[in-house]
Amino acid sequence: MKKEKKISSAFIYFFGSFGGILFGYDIGVMTGALPFLQTDWHLANAPTITGMITSAVMFGAIFGAAIAGQLSDKLGRRKIILISSLIFALGGILSGLAPNNGSIYLIIVRTILGTAVGAASALVPTYMSEMAPAKARGKLSGLNQTMIVSGMLISYIMDFLLKDLPENWAWRTMLAFAAVPALILFFGVLRLPESPRFLANLGKVDEAREVLGILRSTDQEADEELANIQVTSKEEADAAKNTSWSTLFSGKYRYLVIAGVGVAAFQQFQGANAIFYYIPLIVEKATGSAASNALMWPIIQGAILVIGSLVFLPLADRFNRRTLLTLGGIVMGSSFILPSLLKMMMPNMNNMIIVAFLCLYVAFYSFTWAPLTWVITGEMFPLQIRGRASGLASSFNWIGSWLVGLLFPIMTAAMSQEAVFAIFGIICLLGVMFVRLAVPETRGRSLEEIEEQGTNKHHSSKTVSAKSK
């Protein structure tokens, strides 16, 4: 007799997705809060402090993402997501209660909040994939990206709706409002069971079977999946025993690790987050109008991001990964470099042309580098090194995000915006060269075929090295 489902898959997807929305909200909310904070605390001429406050979340996320996997293996995916949501809520409230001119306080609080952001970015997709049936997992990378950018768009809309409050209340309310979706996530996840994979790894096979029985259509489907989980868990445990950090850069794995980590790093160093965090200040510098009057621009950028993430879903398996990354990188690089060239040739050019090119950048980023980075790193790493290599790629991605958030206001204080964007444009084109030279195509290829490419690359490099001696 078929068991009555106590929890619908729609409920699980909703709260799994809500984790992405919360993650996106905390990433995006400072975009609108910053102009009011700068005025309230007189930070307009303090680019280093501005960069440190903005990038503190990303700095904390480096550590949150790094430790989340190990903690979740000990305490469970669900428990760490619950703890992260409480840190989200507390961090949002404490940010809103920052003492006047309390820059150090706000940096520390946002760094702690960032650990929850990093943990959520790593664990929510993992939990969703372990709860979902196999046939639904292929869409999760794109779906998670859609939820994150939707969270960013929600934060931009909230910033716009709150902009008419007194400036000392506006930015505080924007930051504190993060507690609302955090608490919704907490109470939603309270109703969810633990991941069956985590339960099976602990030897709680009966509990894992009970969870799968609730989630899957038939008992046979649940039993088959449980058997697969047990086999895979044993393979991963055996792989972990024979893997160290030095394994990542030895022999046939070096090529794949450099490729995956390189793509993750380039995604951030190409400058996307400079736009997402600072677009009101960019518009202010371009037009001379107050940044607090430019809060419609983040909404436009957020809408472009959401549309692009939806465009990606049908494109994902129709075009090669390298083709989409190449197309995106070339257009993104051109969108940064062309305004600088036009400004050199036409000094009196309308500076809003720069903003128009930034919209073009965001459009192509949203359906190429933004989602494909995580699709590629999910497909590229063999089982033997997957855990460590994925963690390393995620860490480099967060390091890039932190550095861009920290350095952009410092760079624009020292040189023109056009020059700064031209530097990012060159990095975009270097990313295209990296993809063409160092990244294997993963679409439609098994892990074994991808690993064989690494083996062939290793043998080729050994042959060349031998010939050169």
Side-chain angles (χ1 to χ4, degrees), residues 9 13 128-129 131-138 215-216 221 225:
S9 57
Y13 277 122
M128 286 175 67
S129 67
M131 298 295 281
K135 61 184 178 183
R137 289 174 191 154
L215 295 172
R216 300 299 177 256
E221 183 182 352
E225 185 166 339

Side-chain angles (χ1 to χ4, degrees), residues 345-365:
M345 294 185 289
M346 297 181 292
N348 296 323
M349 176 188 77
N350 187 333
N351 286 328
M352 285 305 292
I353 291 177
I354 297 172
V355 180
F357 272 105
L358 294 186
C359 291
L360 181 64
Y361 173 100
V362 172
F364 275 79
Y365 174 81

Side-chain angles (χ1 to χ4, degrees), residues 200 205 209 223 225-235:
V205 178
R209 183 180 287 108
D223 290 338
E225 185 166 339
L226 179 61
N228 289 333
I229 288 173
Q230 290 176 295
V231 171
T232 304
S233 296
K234 185 177 186 308
E235 290 175 351

